Amino acid sequence: MFKKYLVLLIFTFSTSLSQIINDERMQLYDVEAYTLSLKLNLTEQNLTGRVRVVSKILKPLSTFVLSASNKTITVDSIKNDRSEKLKFLHKDDHISISCNKKNSEVIDVEVFYRAISDFHGEFDNGGVFFSGSKVATSSQPFFARKWFPCKDDPSDKATAVINISVPDTLTVASNGVLKNIFQNTDGTKTFRWETKYPIAPYLISFAVGNYVLVDDSFTSINGKNLPITYYVFPEYLENSKHDFRNTKKMLKFMEEKFGEYPFVNEKYGIALVPGELMMENQTISNIKEDLITGTGEVEQFLIHELAHQWFGNMITPNSWHHIWLNEGFATYAQALYYEYYLGKKWYHHIMNSFMETEQGIFAGSLIGQSDTSFSDMFAERTYIKGAIVLHMLRKVVGDSSFFKILKNYATNNKYKYSNVTTEDFIYECENVHQQKLNWFFDQWVSANIDSIDRPTLSYKWNSEKTKDGYKLSLTINQRSSHLYLFKLPMEVKVSSASDTTLYNIIIDNDSHTYFFDLKIQPLNVELDPNNWVFKNLMKED
């Protein structure tokens, strides 16, 4: 039961996205603002809309290109800021618009379109999911283009205004702050949401339902009032009161470890959604409705999605190759949270459960080999091995430096509301630790080993009486060294009848014998007694 409730549920996928490659001309401009205006048709399960995209030209540009799925989006027309119709070509999931723009100029276009849904709420797909009167979006990694034309690239953040029109019995939850609700003459209401914090397209979202709103607030570490709103379906209201009771405790923990909540001037919200749409949308996490059981088992997911507000939403990977900086960090935050409130035993129990997997299940580099393959980006190693790497890093640099690294990384103005790569995180680690850590990241993050994900070690020991006490010899064999030779700082615990002593060694050979001079006869020897190193370990007879 304990393990069931605390180990993150990870799905294994065989599905891959088609080989989506953003047109290289999209790198010649920077989006500054999106304004979305959508009207949903729940009966037909489609939408009509328009999106205004305001961008700054970075290099001379003759064709302005946006992402837009040909399967789900039909473009009716495109206009510029003078309401002049523009010529365009919609092909291969991109819209190409003729233009003639110089460096530093602004291009302002509005795309009028219709969109259908081919999304049924499954995790490895995305777009807009219609389920009766319940509607929600899921856009990670490249599914924003299925419901609105945009520059579907995590490296380009912009502000956003989101207008969603729905039947007037329903409520819309979205990013940022609810600025207004307009009553329309056709029996619909338009909810106008706005976020002034930069947001990546995959984090732009909306959720619709007959929600009951439950409001709360939290005083941030800097004394600011943060509104908290839960968007709950009526049938889950009582269960949600129990399941969401610790949200403020989670915020308190994360602010202490990572700095003030990144979107404190807007809100934190949780919206219940149908399907498999668990997602950390900026300022509004989507949580599967059927997880709200009133038992508290959803808490692990709430921690994970809240941690993404720092790692993923505020600090966003420059490309999907570096998605472990999102998922590994959010997964590790679960273990840190339970350590913070329940103690180190719980922390180690969670991390031990993460490491109790079969050899090879996390094989491959943590830096993704593909930024178009869903199964590669969201493989188990991205989540669990990512958390294990942070666990090991903590031991290598020590608690003081490790938590300083996390705080510095999350509060560095260079990274805040911007984009990062793995190299940026390594730089922050080395800057705090004041030592090179390439040996650590090379083997645990970069190395692309097909068949193994950890070393296999065997050991044996014996002791001999000497005139001054005992000499202990400990032989350690790195059995997997023919595939990859790891460098492993490790503790050795030596127990006698009266006490125990910890020694620190470094394993960096395929076989080596270590010697220890002892005063008292050793009765037992343990390697890595607290399981800080990801490994398979066996004792030789």
Side-chain angles (χ1 to χ4, degrees):
M1 177 182 254
F2 182 89
K3 181 176 180 180
K4 173 186 174 184
Y5 288 160
L6 291 180
V7 178
L8 176 69
L9 180 61
I10 299 295
F11 303 91
T12 303
F13 306 104
S14 59
T15 304
S16 292
L17 296 173
S18 61
Q19 291 302 303
I20 299 169
I21 301 174
N22 280 337
D23 191 297
E24 62 183 12
R25 290 170 294 184
M26 297 173 74
Q27 300 308 312
L28 303 181
Y29 68 88
D30 175 56
V31 180
E32 296 183 335
Y34 292 103
T35 301
L36 262 169
S37 298
L38 308 178
K39 184 175 182 179
L40 307 187
N41 186 324
L42 276 61
T43 303
E44 299 296 328
Q45 298 192 350
N46 59 32
L47 61 87
T48 56
R50 63 185 191 273
V51 58
R52 181 184 177 194
V53 186
V54 180
S55 308
K56 183 177 181 179
I57 304 302
L58 302 177
K59 292 184 179 180
L61 189 63
S62 60
T63 305
F64 183 68
V65 181
L66 292 170
S67 311
S69 168
N70 283 91
K71 281 188 174 182
T72 59
I73 287 180
T74 300
V75 179
D76 293 321
S77 63
I78 301 175
K79 295 181 180 180
N80 62 20
D81 55 345
R82 297 184 299 278
S83 295
E84 298 168 337
K85 284 192 174 183
L86 303 175
K87 292 182 179 181
F88 66 91
L89 175 66
H90 188 192
K91 183 181 178 181
D92 298 330
D93 290 340
H94 291 90
I95 304 169
S96 300
I97 307 164
S98 296
C99 67
N100 184 17
K101 292 291 182 179
K102 298 177 182 178
N103 187 27
S104 299
E105 288 187 335
V106 171
I107 184 167
D108 184 343
V109 301
E110 191 162 24
V111 182
F112 296 80
Y113 69 99
R114 293 161 284 145
I116 62 172
S117 174
D118 64 355
F119 177 37
H120 305 291
E122 62 272 34
F123 185 85
D124 54 349
N125 198 356
V128 182
F129 178 46
F130 291 86
S131 179
S133 63
K134 300 173 181 178
V135 186
T137 59
S138 183
S139 298
Q140 189 181 43
F142 285 122
F143 299 131
R145 70 186 68 199
K146 292 180 70 176
W147 62 278
F148 75 101
C150 59
K151 181 178 174 180
D152 202 359
D153 185 326
S155 70
D156 197 345
K157 295 185 173 187
T159 61
V161 175
I162 304 126
N163 300 292
I164 309 292
S165 298
V166 296
D168 60 10
T169 57
L170 302 178
T171 297
V172 178
S174 188
N175 311 101
V177 175
L178 181 62
K179 302 297 287 187
N180 215 330
I181 304 174
F182 303 97
Q183 186 70 51
N184 304 317
T185 57
D186 60 355
T188 65
K189 288 188 297 190
T190 300
F191 290 76
R192 183 180 181 86
W193 288 88
E194 181 177 342
T195 179
K196 293 186 177 180
Y197 290 100
I199 185 170
Y202 81 95
L203 295 167
I204 296 175
S205 71
F206 66 85
V208 178
N210 61 331
Y211 289 123
V212 176
L213 274 59
V214 180
D215 292 317
D216 202 348
S217 63
F218 172 76
T219 302
S220 80
I221 199 168
N222 292 325
K224 295 182 180 178
N225 181 67
L226 171 68
I228 300 172
T229 302
Y230 306 105
Y231 294 81
V232 182
F233 299 125
E235 60 268 33
Y236 293 100
L237 182 58
E238 290 305 312
N239 286 349
S240 71
K241 291 177 182 177
H242 179 271
D243 287 352
F244 296 156
R245 71 194 189 282
N246 287 329
T247 300
K248 288 192 280 190
K249 287 179 64 176
M250 297 175 196
L251 281 161
K252 179 179 183 296
F253 151 72
M254 291 188 193
E255 286 204 331
E256 181 171 315
K257 296 299 183 185
F258 313 139
E260 188 175 52
Y261 175 72
F263 311 104
V264 70
N265 293 327
E266 295 186 347
K267 73 167 185 307
Y268 181 61
I270 294 174
L272 300 193
V273 293
E276 301 291 340
L277 275 62
M278 298 278 286
M279 184 61 198
E280 65 274 9
N281 305 304
Q282 192 161 300
T283 74
I284 180 78
S285 295
N286 283 357
I287 300 294
K288 288 173 56 179
E289 59 181 331
D290 58 10
L291 289 175
I292 308 305
T293 60
T295 63
E297 64 182 283
V298 72
E299 188 167 84
Q300 57 178 318
F301 301 100
L302 300 179
I303 299 162
H304 184 96
E305 305 303 351
L306 178 57
H308 274 309
Q309 300 298 326
W310 284 262
F311 305 111
N313 298 4
M314 178 182 68
I315 301 175
T316 307
N318 188 58
S319 75
W320 295 112
H321 293 290
H322 304 280
I323 187 62
W324 83 276
L325 296 173
N326 290 17
E327 300 300 349
F329 278 60
T331 303
Y332 187 62
Q334 297 171 237
L336 289 181
Y337 172 81
Y338 286 106
E339 176 186 7
Y340 185 82
Y341 284 112
L342 299 176
K344 210 138 200 172
K345 283 183 67 174
W346 281 63
Y347 169 84
H348 281 291
H349 183 93
I350 296 168
M351 294 312 305
N352 290 347
S353 69
F354 286 166
M355 293 191 276
E356 288 173 358
T357 53
E358 293 181 11
Q359 169 68 273
I361 198 168
F362 303 143
S365 169
L366 266 184
I367 300 175
Q369 299 306 293
S370 169
D371 65 351
T372 61
S373 168
F374 194 99
S375 59
D376 182 60
M377 282 185 270
F378 297 99
E380 284 187 283
R381 70 176 178 275
T382 303
Y383 295 76
I384 304 299
K385 187 182 176 184
I388 292 169
V389 165
L390 294 173
H391 169 71
M392 292 190 290
L393 177 65
R394 177 179 177 178
K395 182 61 176 175
V396 166
V397 303
D399 270 20
S400 178
S401 289
F402 178 75
F403 288 108
K404 186 177 180 181
I405 286 168
L406 292 185
K407 180 71 72 71
N408 286 8
Y409 175 63
T411 58
N412 189 328
N413 287 329
K414 179 181 176 182
Y415 309 140
K416 288 177 72 173
Y417 312 109
S418 189
N419 297 89
V420 294
T421 64
T422 299
E423 288 70 26
D424 292 316
F425 179 64
I426 294 172
Y427 173 82
E428 201 64 55
C429 294
E430 294 181 339
N431 189 47
V432 172
H433 188 50
Q434 290 295 296
Q435 292 182 36
K436 286 292 184 182
L437 290 165
N438 56 297
W439 63 270
F440 176 85
F441 288 100
D442 284 351
Q443 66 188 20
W444 292 116
V445 173
S446 302
N448 190 23
I449 314 165
D450 288 336
S451 56
I452 65 169
D453 54 23
R454 75 206 82 173
T456 296
L457 307 176
S458 65
Y459 73 101
K460 61 183 178 181
W461 67 275
N462 61 64
S463 65
E464 296 179 357
K465 187 77 173 68
T466 65
K467 64 177 182 178
D468 297 317
Y470 291 85
K471 181 173 284 294
L472 169 68
S473 63
L474 169 65
T475 299
I476 301 174
N477 296 304
Q478 193 170 156
R479 291 176 175 265
S480 55
S481 61
H482 63 291
L483 296 171
Y484 192 92
L485 181 63
F486 288 83
K487 177 180 178 180
L488 307 167
M490 191 173 291
E491 290 180 334
V492 177
K493 180 181 177 182
V494 180
S495 302
S496 68
S498 58
D499 65 6
T500 61
T501 304
L502 283 177
Y503 297 90
N504 291 301
I505 63 171
I506 294 178
I507 302 169
D508 56 3
N509 291 296
D510 54 359
S511 182
H512 190 74
T513 300
Y514 304 83
F515 297 98
F516 306 88
D517 293 319
L518 309 173
K519 296 293 185 183
I520 304 174
Q521 182 180 9
L523 301 178
N524 191 40
V525 174
E526 292 179 70
L527 264 64
D528 192 24
N530 293 307
N531 204 20
W532 285 103
V533 178
F534 191 35
K535 66 195 177 303
N536 287 332
L537 184 62
M538 60 186 74
K539 185 177 180 182
E540 297 179 21
D541 294 330

